[in-house]
Amino acid sequence: MKNRFRKKAAGISIAAVVAFSVLGFGYNSITEAKNKKNEPTNVIMMVMDGTSAGATSLARWYKGEDLAMDEIVVGGVRTHSAESAITDSAPAATALATGYKSNDKVVGLLPALVNSPGVESVDPEDAYKPVANVLEGAKLLGKSTGIISTSEIQHATPAGFSSHVTHRSNYQDIAEQQVYQEIDVVLGGGKESLLPGEGRNSRVDGEDLTKVLDEKGYDFVETRDELLQSNSDKIWGSFAPSALAYDFDRQATSNQEPTLAEMTKKAIDTLSQDEDGFFLFVEGSKVDWAAHANDPIGIISDVLAFDDAVKEALEFAKKDGNTMVIAVSDHGNSGITMGNVNTNGNYPEIPVSAYIDPLKKATMTAEGALKQLNDDRSNLKEVAELYGLDNLTETEIEALKASKTLQADMTKMLAERANIGFSTGGHTGEDVFLYAFGPSKPYGLIDNTDIAKSMAAFLGFDLNGTTDKLFVNARESFEKKGYQTRIDVTDENNPVFIAEKQNSRIELPVNKNIAHVTQNKKSFTKTLDGVTVYNGKDFYVSEAALNMSK
């Protein structure tokens, strides 16, 4: 990272910002004033995955006071995908990051199927063509970049801001692209996908990406203390083989993982040293997981942890004066409500405490509590109490001991006690809240694709222009220059695009930002400004790769 130092923030008070907002002037004049002083622009994009309005309402009542997010709610977001009213996280992340809607499970690529009303159709020839994301655009401007997640860093939502694959489960390619994207700060889970091994998501290509990170000069950290003590300007934190723990579970054990707020603050402190500014993506991942499991404790745990991270982002943005903060859910999940069929006739009489007090008895989520369970379930009563299920009858205990779906039965039991309702174990299609702060922030009821466009415009680049620079069709482009091309699949896990002409040979390995070039019997390796993407049909390469071919 080059030319690192903090610039002095321009002297515009928060009171002035509020006054401009209240009077309806917006932020354009503020942004222009700062640009005249050559102040760097920053964006902190934050996603609380799978968080419906009912989840934030419940978390607020549980906390007993306003959330940090409450002061910056400015509108709502439509979340549908190119093919459905209810989106998967992969196309949702693609929309938020690239400005294009896509298909189920697809990350960072254009859709093949468009049938949602109002979504622009895509030329069949462009199906699954990669499109640039905001992080890539910021990187081309010389800004520092970072991604944070409490799931595996290769999970769908962080992947949407850092990779391009036909299926979100392809952690192999996602992990490799992230390593070669030259992202300055990467913090989360997913160490398993960096290494060969026997794990579910271990690398099958034999590559040890931690060695690549070492060669690239990263400080590779694996505990909270290592992260907080790092003074490097390039940090890769892998704090778990897969996902990190729920925040309540982290608090209840001797877990050495950092909180989402700590990761966010560390990333901001590191990235903000770059005089060119920065882009940071932050995800609170496991609200979505808890919603799928209909676990109100997991939902509350990680909504509150995410809100603490938002507080850190806002503290920086208010001092800096030229940072846009956006916080949003990518979609709803579970249809969570305060009130269920038990409250049909008496809901006006039920106090808040009737919903919250049963939940306050839990010290761990269902996932965390069940990790304490003995194989023979001999300590089931104690484990149930960790989840807030006290005073169980003998009938209830025996039913839980015999249960083949123990987690589901425990969450149903607690939800029943607290009169919490769930309509599904899947995603939902309602609009979600939009939270935003800072110059040129989006507001009103908008589409999820508008968020990517707002961020890019504020940072000062065009997403379509960035796509043109980073992703040209390799075969078509090289053959126009007289090259013969082929795809070498000798190593089926690492296909290589090869272009040959006379005394020149260019090799472009998939998922990497490098080109191996041989010209007149001299060989060298060039670093490109983007990763090479293979969608199963075509290779897409940086425009810079073509400039090596004369």
Side-chain angles (χ1 to χ4, degrees), residues 163-478:
S163 67
H164 309 268
V165 294
T166 55
H167 200 288
R168 57 178 288 180
S169 65
N170 190 352
Y171 280 21
Q172 305 286 311
D173 288 349
I174 293 169
E176 192 165 36
Q177 287 184 35
Q178 289 174 332
V179 167
Y180 283 90
Q181 283 278 26
E182 309 292 349
I183 305 168
D184 299 284
V185 177
V186 178
L187 305 174
K191 183 181 178 182
E192 186 177 73
S193 296
L194 301 175
L195 297 164
E198 302 300 322
R200 176 185 174 190
N201 291 311
S202 296
R203 301 204 62 75
V204 298
D205 61 6
E207 294 189 56
D208 183 344
L209 294 180
T210 63
K211 292 182 179 178
V212 178
L213 292 171
D214 184 61
E215 293 167 359
K216 289 180 175 290
Y218 284 91
D219 185 6
F220 190 83
V221 299
E222 298 186 70
T223 66
R224 174 182 180 272
D225 288 345
E226 289 176 355
L227 172 66
L228 299 183
Q229 292 168 11
S230 177
N231 293 315
S232 177
D233 59 9
K234 294 182 70 174
I235 307 172
W236 194 294
S238 281
F239 305 109
S242 52
L244 275 61
Y246 285 102
D247 199 61
F248 280 7
D249 299 341
R250 180 196 57 78
Q251 295 176 42
T253 63
S254 57
N255 190 301
Q256 292 299 302
E257 297 168 0
T259 67
L260 185 60
E262 288 171 336
M263 290 190 287
T264 300
K265 185 178 188 305
K266 183 65 174 182
I268 291 171
D269 289 346
T270 303
L271 299 175
S272 62
Q273 302 304 311
D274 191 336
E275 65 171 354
D276 295 315
F278 67 88
F279 171 81
L280 173 63
F281 168 79
V282 180
E283 184 197 30
S285 317
K286 293 183 69 172
V287 180
D288 180 71
W289 299 20
H292 278 299
N294 287 181
D295 178 5
I297 303 303
I299 289 172
I300 292 168
S301 163
D302 280 30
V303 168
L304 295 179
F306 180 84
D307 194 58
D308 288 342
V310 171
K311 182 179 179 182
E312 291 289 349
L314 286 176
E315 286 182 2
F316 172 81
K318 289 175 180 179
K319 293 176 183 176
D320 176 73
N322 208 29
T323 297
M324 176 193 288
V325 177
I326 296 175
V328 69
S329 178
D330 54 346
H331 52 75
N333 193 337
S334 79
I336 183 173
T337 55
M338 294 178 68
N340 57 17
V341 293
N342 296 333
T343 65
N344 283 349
N346 64 339
Y347 56 84
E349 307 162 6
I350 301 174
V352 172
S353 59
Y355 300 98
I356 300 304
D357 287 354
L359 304 178
K360 287 276 190 177
K361 294 179 180 181
T363 57
M364 302 185 80
T365 71
E367 176 184 288
L370 287 173
K371 287 182 178 179
Q372 316 304 314
L373 185 66
N374 295 335
D375 291 340
D376 61 0
R377 299 192 179 185
S378 58
N379 64 335
L380 180 58
K381 181 179 179 181
E382 292 77 14
V383 167
E385 288 175 350
L386 292 175
Y387 188 58
L389 295 173
D390 59 353
N391 301 317
L392 290 173
T393 66
E394 286 301 319
T395 301
E396 288 173 326
I397 292 173
E398 291 305 313
L400 289 178
K401 283 184 177 180
S403 173
K404 295 182 179 180
T405 55
L406 182 56
Q407 180 170 332
D409 288 340
M410 287 174 60
T411 57
K412 286 178 183 176
M413 193 175 291
L414 184 61
E416 185 80 4
R417 291 186 177 194
N419 291 319
I420 302 298
F422 294 96
S423 63
T424 178
H427 294 180
T428 51
E430 75 275 18
D431 299 340
V432 296
F433 282 127
L434 170 64
Y435 306 91
F437 174 87
S440 302
K441 70 179 187 292
Y443 59 89
L445 179 60
I446 63 175
D447 191 76
N448 53 9
T449 57
D450 294 326
I451 291 177
K453 297 167 188 175
S454 295
M455 292 189 291
F458 178 60
L459 291 174
F461 66 88
D462 176 69
L463 280 164
N464 289 331
T466 303
T467 295
D468 291 342
K469 287 183 180 180
L470 294 181
F471 302 114
V472 299
N473 186 295
R475 179 185 56 80
E476 292 177 358
S477 300
F478 276 101

Side-chain angles (χ1 to χ4, degrees), residues 139 176-177 179-182 207 209 212 215-216 470 478 494-498 505-517 524-533 539-542 544-546 548:
K139 190 156 58 74
E176 192 165 36
Q177 287 184 35
V179 167
Y180 283 90
Q181 283 278 26
E182 309 292 349
E207 294 189 56
L209 294 180
V212 178
E215 293 167 359
K216 289 180 175 290
L470 294 181
F478 276 101
N494 291 292
V496 179
F497 179 86
I498 298 176
R505 175 185 171 99
I506 299 173
E507 298 182 9
L508 295 158
V510 70
N511 302 324
K512 297 180 171 65
N513 65 336
I514 57 176
H516 301 299
V517 184
F524 55 93
T525 298
K526 294 282 288 185
T527 299
L528 306 175
D529 49 14
V531 294
T532 295
V533 174
F539 266 75
Y540 289 86
V541 301
S542 166
L546 304 179
M548 295 181 296

Side-chain angles (χ1 to χ4, degrees), residues 59-67 70:
R60 185 186 301 108
W61 283 119
Y62 183 97
K63 183 180 181 182
E65 59 184 278
D66 288 348
L67 303 176
D70 291 342

